[in-house]
Amino acid sequence: VGEGMKREGIEPFVLCLGENAAQFREAGFNVGEAQLGQLGSVRRLLIEHRVDQMVMIGRVGKENLLAGAVDQELLGLFAQLAKKNDDTLQLAIVNYFEEHGIRIETQTRFLKHLIPDRGVLTGPAISPEEKADLELGFRMAKAIGRLDIGQSVVVKKGMVLAIEAVEGTDQTILRGGQYGGSGVVVVKVAKPQQDFRFDVPAIGLNTLQALITVKARILGVEAGATFILDREKFLAEAEAHGITVVALDEVGA
């Protein structure tokens, strides 16, 4: 995202909430650091650096909020919410910043080159049974997305082996692989009500390692709505391990 901004003549300020500040400094970015859950400090730091537009990027799991120190500003914001599902929590954060004059940009604006079009991206041909598993996985992933539970499912031979909840995609793959053994089919999609300002589905080399570990056969992602990080390396390594990667839509691969 930072590199995409620079290509458009924007000099970004990168606010890191994890332990990744060093890599941004080494890449020459202007970097700040803040603690996850310290919403007031985050807002003040952004205003101090005259930020009026922001892209939210990267995974912030609920478990981090549950285990970490949370300031009164964030506690007060969450206390107003009747539901604590992912979309409600993230939309509350978006609204908070926009009410303070910081507009949230879509995650896709600077990353369009990482989003695949429909079709097989790499790997061996798909059998009719695997195609049926992909279609089942797509429907089931859309269903749990509609309920705002998660975005990924693991299936095999017409059976759903695992659905994603708070643990994230990679752990879901490992769990599903325990039940299904080699040859499982993994599908990750956008939610039907996807707000592209946050939580846009993404896969990367960690996800690929989980697929390799369980000897998965196919990864299906939603065409036009999923980031493939380190795309060239991801697809090359997937092909080397006999994993087919396919971009799906509502009518299939």
Side-chain angles (χ1 to χ4, degrees), residues 124-134 153-159 161 173-174 176-187 210-220 241-244:
I126 300 168
S127 71
E129 182 182 72
E130 291 166 342
K131 186 174 188 294
D133 279 346
L134 275 170
V153 299
V154 182
V155 301
K156 186 178 180 180
K157 296 185 183 298
M159 292 180 284
L161 304 175
I173 293 170
L174 296 175
Q178 288 180 345
Y179 299 116
S182 63
V184 296
V185 173
V186 178
V187 181
L211 294 165
I212 293 168
T213 298
V214 302
K215 298 180 180 177
R217 170 65 189 91
I218 298 173
L219 171 66
H241 286 86
I243 299 171
T244 296

Side-chain angles (χ1 to χ4, degrees), residues 14 19 147 160 184 191:
V14 181
E19 299 177 354
L147 295 171
V160 176
V184 296
K191 300 169 186 175

